[in-house]
């Protein structure tokens, strides 16, 4: 089974085409938003593990879960020394969003930790830079099911080897691949091809 990067889940949530371009076609470009996100993660990444009030804070934790077919790097894992409980913590540049993709990404991290340690991970947290607050996330059965369903969708997209056609939307303005993807141009090309086909059908009739 192909191992999928945890970051593919986030890219898929943003745009399935972006996910395929990055993870199958190895296209990458940096814009202001990805640079900001990278800077935030680099700040989180730096620093040795530290222990405060019985909790060990492990940064940039590499995970690889064979059965799930997922691997990646977690921003932080809090390890409660007295109980052995593990809690993934993910840092986000923006603020909480109405869709719960951030929760799904965090839950996928928890599933990786569970597979690797054999321990139940029942809670994690999202930390939002813009609103500077930490949101506890419980890994309920429904969130777990939803996360597994998303992992299956991403796997099927990437294993298909197909790159979906662009669907232009306001999210494209924030996409690091806008220049390379050219969603407006491709849409125009497809419309032109469609009209040409219609004319052909009419003249053949
Ligand atoms: S420009 Fe738009 S359609 Fe193209 S990859 Fe980015 S978000 Fe997707």
């Amino acid at each position: 089974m192909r191992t999928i990067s945890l970051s593919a889940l986030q890219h898929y949530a943003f745009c399935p085409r972006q996910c395929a371009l990055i993870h199958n076609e190895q296209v990458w470009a940096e814009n202001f938003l990805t640079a900001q996100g990278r800077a935030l993660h680099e700040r989180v990444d730096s620093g040795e593990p530290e222990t405060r009030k019985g909790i060990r804070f492990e940064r940039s934790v590499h995970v690889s879960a064979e059965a799930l077919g997922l691997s990646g790097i977690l921003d932080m894992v809090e390890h409660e020394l007295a109980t052995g409980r593990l809690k993934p913590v993910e840092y986000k540049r923006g603020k909480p969003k109405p869709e719960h993709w951030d929760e799904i990404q965090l839950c996928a991290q928890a599933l990786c930790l569970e597979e690797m340690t054999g321990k139940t991970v029942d809670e994690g947290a999202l930390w939002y830079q813009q609103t500077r607050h930490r949101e506890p996330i419980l890994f309920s059965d429904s969130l777990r099911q939803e996360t597994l369903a998303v992992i299956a969708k991403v796997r099927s997209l990437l294993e298909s080897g197909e790159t979906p056609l662009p669907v232009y939307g306001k999210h494209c303005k924030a996409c690091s691949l806008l220049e390379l993807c050219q969603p407006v141009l491709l849409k125009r090309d497809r419309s032109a091809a469609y009209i040409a086909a219609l004319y052909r059908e009419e003249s053949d009739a």
Side-chain angles (χ1 to χ4, degrees):
M1 179 163 62
R2 171 174 170 175
T3 301
I4 291 172
S5 164
L6 277 165
S7 66
L9 304 186
Q10 214 185 344
H11 296 137
Y12 181 87
F14 186 76
C15 167
R17 176 171 167 82
Q18 195 207 55
C19 178
L21 286 172
I22 292 173
H23 296 275
N24 273 357
E25 299 193 22
Q26 272 80 44
V27 174
W28 186 251
E30 191 166 86
N31 69 1
F32 174 67
L33 291 176
T34 54
Q36 253 194 353
R38 194 170 43 76
L40 170 68
H41 282 85
E42 272 166 11
R43 269 208 307 283
V44 174
D45 290 353
S46 59
E48 293 298 306
E50 49 177 310
T51 304
R52 271 182 279 128
K53 295 184 182 163
I55 297 174
R56 189 172 163 84
F57 300 88
E58 307 267 0
R59 294 181 167 87
S60 302
V61 177
H62 289 248
V63 289
S64 177
E66 221 173 282
L68 272 173
L70 281 180
S71 70
I73 304 174
L74 278 46
D75 283 345
M76 188 187 288
V77 176
E78 294 178 359
H79 182 188
E80 209 175 270
L81 297 176
T83 60
R85 277 179 75 199
L86 298 172
K87 210 185 257 192
V89 181
E90 172 78 9
Y91 289 76
K92 295 288 176 196
R93 190 178 41 79
K95 53 186 178 188
K97 303 153 196 81
E99 320 82 48
H100 51 187
W101 284 101
D102 292 347
E103 286 88 330
I104 289 173
Q105 196 197 354
L106 191 71
C107 185
Q109 299 184 356
L111 294 175
C112 288
L113 287 172
E114 286 185 342
E115 184 182 320
M116 291 173 71
T117 63
K119 289 180 191 160
T120 303
V121 178
D122 48 23
E123 193 184 332
L126 292 164
W127 190 89
Y128 289 96
Q129 190 188 32
Q130 200 175 326
T131 51
R132 305 199 70 76
H133 87 281
R134 176 179 163 126
E135 201 163 297
I137 305 295
L138 292 177
F139 302 125
S140 63
D141 284 345
S142 62
L143 179 57
R144 286 167 184 268
Q145 290 311 319
E146 203 176 352
T147 304
L148 288 171
V150 169
I151 295 168
K153 275 191 200 163
V154 176
R155 173 175 309 289
S156 124
L157 168 72
L158 294 181
E159 287 184 350
S160 76
E162 281 171 23
T163 300
L165 289 168
V167 179
Y168 186 69
K170 66 175 194 295
H171 63 311
C172 293
K173 292 198 180 96
C175 177
S176 54
L177 302 183
L178 180 63
E179 287 289 306
L180 297 154
C181 170
Q182 294 290 349
V184 179
L185 206 67
L186 279 177
K187 192 175 160 195
R188 222 180 285 140
D189 282 357
R190 285 211 312 283
S191 312
Y194 175 69
I195 291 165
L198 279 184
Y199 274 119
R200 261 200 314 278
E201 270 173 28
E202 268 182 22
S203 55
D204 290 350

